[in-house]
């Protein structure tokens, strides 16, 4: 059973961890325009995370604000999907992750925009416009790399093979949630299949479906990410700019 | 004395300093309680992660204090979501004059997809191309003119 708090926390954690990972590309992207693009997408994810975590804190009613939720929880208390915490890998892995994340977030936020909860509906209506740009951007790159040179095709296919198993966790049915993730699967599959087809890429045949993020059971990568993200706040609690 | 509405409407956007928050459509409403003198300003962000929002809130308070209204509450609303369609005609003209190509109309779902040429704000040529859909701020994309070779910012439709 999932109440509005758990649901909102999951979405907020997805966006927050995605933002932190994308931010790691700052000053390191393959070209300057891409550096700016990834930082912009990270900023959008961070914006959505702030709105969602602020609301999650209010729903919980225990006095935790966005900062308390972002900086003062350990890995077992985070509810993000495993997909967003995976290391960035090479540029192809980052684009595969962004394609799958945005192909999930666009129908998610669109459905949220029509849900009964006014706050979640407002956040969904705002965030879906931004996610549509993220999906466009990731789709362009996946097509360019997949349908590019022999080497770019090889690496893009390897990235899809590596990341794809982690997408199944996103659609674990939850009929009690404000938006049941299982209802987003068809839209996600249609988007991803169309992009991969055009990119001359294929989905891997594997029955491995890693999961656990929604229950706080994460890969070993998350605690390292949190250590870097939280160190300043934990070393100087309440510090102000 | 300057009215609260006039004072707030004159606040310029901290990232695009040629236009005001009113012309950009960020400013939703300004209401003064006649009994207490308290001014409630409602604004909406262009993008959820827009880093300029804190500066905008501070600038609104400063402008109202200077106009003789020290008791201020700034509220942030997200619904309905901001759209580039809310940028005023005057705002669009100022953007173009500053070398930033203003956004075209937002594509509506279900409509026939029609991409209008983005005109170069320097030479007016429609022969332009997108270099990157993400630019120096969240709301801008980077374009280049094929006629005069100048790169320029384009406020992207949202």
């Amino acid at each position: 059973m999932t109440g509005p708090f758990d649901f909102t926390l999951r979405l907020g954690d997805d966006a927050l961890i995605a933002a932190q990972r994308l931010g790691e590309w700052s000053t390191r992207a393959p070209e300057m325009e891409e550096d700016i693009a990834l930082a912009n997408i990270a900023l959008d994810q961070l914006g959505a995370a702030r709105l969602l975590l602020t609301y999650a804190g209010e729903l919980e009613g225990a006095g935790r604000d966005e900062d308390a939720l972002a900086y003062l929880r350990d890995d077992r208390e985070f509810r993000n999907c495993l997909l967003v915490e995976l290391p960035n890998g090479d540029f192809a892995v980052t684009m595969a992750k962004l394609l799958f994340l945005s192909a999930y977030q666009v129908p998610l936020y669109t459905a949220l925009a029509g849900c009964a909860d006014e706050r979640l509906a407002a956040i969904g209506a705002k965030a879906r416009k931004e996610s549509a740009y993220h999906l466009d951007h990731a789709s362009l790159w996946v097509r360019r790399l997949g349908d590019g040179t022999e080497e770019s095709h090889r690496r893009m296919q390897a990235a899809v093979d590596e990341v794809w198993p982690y997408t199944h966790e996103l659609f674990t049915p939850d009929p009690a949630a404000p938006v049941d993730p299982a209802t987003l699967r068809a839209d996600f599959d249609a988007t991803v299949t169309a992009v991969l087809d055009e990119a001359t890429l294929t989905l891997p045949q594997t029955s491995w479906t890693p999961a656990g993020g929604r229950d706080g059971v994460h890969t070993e990568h998350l605690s390292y990410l949190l250590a870097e993200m939280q160190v300043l706040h934990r070393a100087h609690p309440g510090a102000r700019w | 004395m300057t009215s609260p509405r006039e004072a707030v409407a004159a606040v310029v956007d901290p990232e695009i300093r040629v236009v005001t928050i009113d012309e950009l459509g960020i400013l939703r409403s300004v209401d003064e309680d006649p009994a207490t003198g308290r001014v409630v300003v409602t604004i909406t962000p262009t993008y959820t992660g827009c880093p300029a929002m804190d500066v905008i809130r501070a600038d609104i308070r400063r402008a109202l204090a200077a106009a003789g209204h020290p008791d201020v509450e700034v509220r942030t609303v997200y619904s309905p979501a901001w759209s580039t369609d809310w940028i005023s005609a005057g705002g669009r003209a100022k953007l173009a004059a500053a070398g930033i190509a203003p956004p075209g109309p937002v594509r509506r779902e279900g409509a026939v997809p029609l991409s209008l040429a983005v005109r170069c704000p320097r030479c007016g040529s429609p022969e332009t191309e997108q270099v990157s859909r993400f630019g120096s701020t969240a709301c801008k994309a980077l374009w280049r003119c094929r006629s005069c070779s100048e790169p320029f910012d384009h406020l992207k439709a949202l």
Side-chain angles (χ1 to χ4, degrees), chain A residues 138-185:
Chain A
S139 303
L140 272 174
W141 270 114
V142 170
R143 290 204 297 263
R144 267 170 85 175
L145 295 173
D147 195 18
T149 66
E150 200 176 308
E151 174 65 4
S152 74
H153 176 87
R154 184 187 69 76
R155 288 171 73 162
M156 195 64 239
Q157 182 65 60
V160 168
D161 292 349
E162 181 184 331
V163 174
W164 175 254
Y166 292 91
T167 59
H168 303 293
E169 181 187 23
L170 298 169
F171 307 102
T172 307
D174 189 356
V179 171
D180 181 354
T183 61
L184 309 171
R185 178 96 221 196

Side-chain angles (χ1 to χ4, degrees), chain A residues 174-217:
Chain A
D174 189 356
V179 171
D180 181 354
T183 61
L184 309 171
R185 178 96 221 196
D187 200 323
F188 171 86
D189 283 343
T191 304
V192 168
T193 307
V195 174
L196 295 185
D197 278 353
E198 207 179 332
T200 70
L201 298 166
T202 53
L203 286 176
Q205 298 298 315
T206 170
S207 54
W208 185 48
T209 56
R214 302 303 192 204
D215 301 314
V217 182

Side-chain angles (χ1 to χ4, degrees), chain A residues 36 40 126 129-130 133 136, chain B residues 46 48 78 82 133 135 138 157:
Chain A
I36 294 167
N40 264 297
K126 185 89 192 122
K129 292 180 168 195
E130 296 169 11
Y133 269 103
D136 268 1
Chain B
T46 55
T48 50
Y78 297 92
W82 179 81
R133 62 188 53 214

Side-chain angles (χ1 to χ4, degrees), chain A residues 33-34 36-38 40-41 43-48 50-51 122-123 125-130 133-134 136-137 140, chain B residues 45-51 54 78-79 81-83 107 109 131-139 142 156-158:
Chain A
E33 287 78 9
E34 196 54 33
I36 294 167
L38 292 175
N40 264 297
I41 296 171
L43 193 59
D44 289 345
Q45 294 283 351
L46 186 64
R50 292 187 62 181
L51 297 179
I123 296 170
K126 185 89 192 122
R128 71 173 167 180
K129 292 180 168 195
E130 296 169 11
Y133 269 103
H134 308 167
D136 268 1
H137 189 70
L140 272 174
Chain B
T46 55
Y47 283 72
T48 50
C50 180
D54 286 337
Y78 297 92
S79 180
W82 179 81
S83 164
R107 276 177 298 172
E109 282 173 54
V131 177
S132 172
R133 62 188 53 214
F134 296 92
S136 55
T137 67
C139 51
L142 188 60
K156 57 196 179 193
L158 185 78

Side-chain angles (χ1 to χ4, degrees), chain B residues 34-49:
Chain B
T36 63
R38 186 184 182 83
V39 179
V40 176
V41 180
T42 307
I43 54 175
T44 195
T46 55
Y47 283 72
T48 50

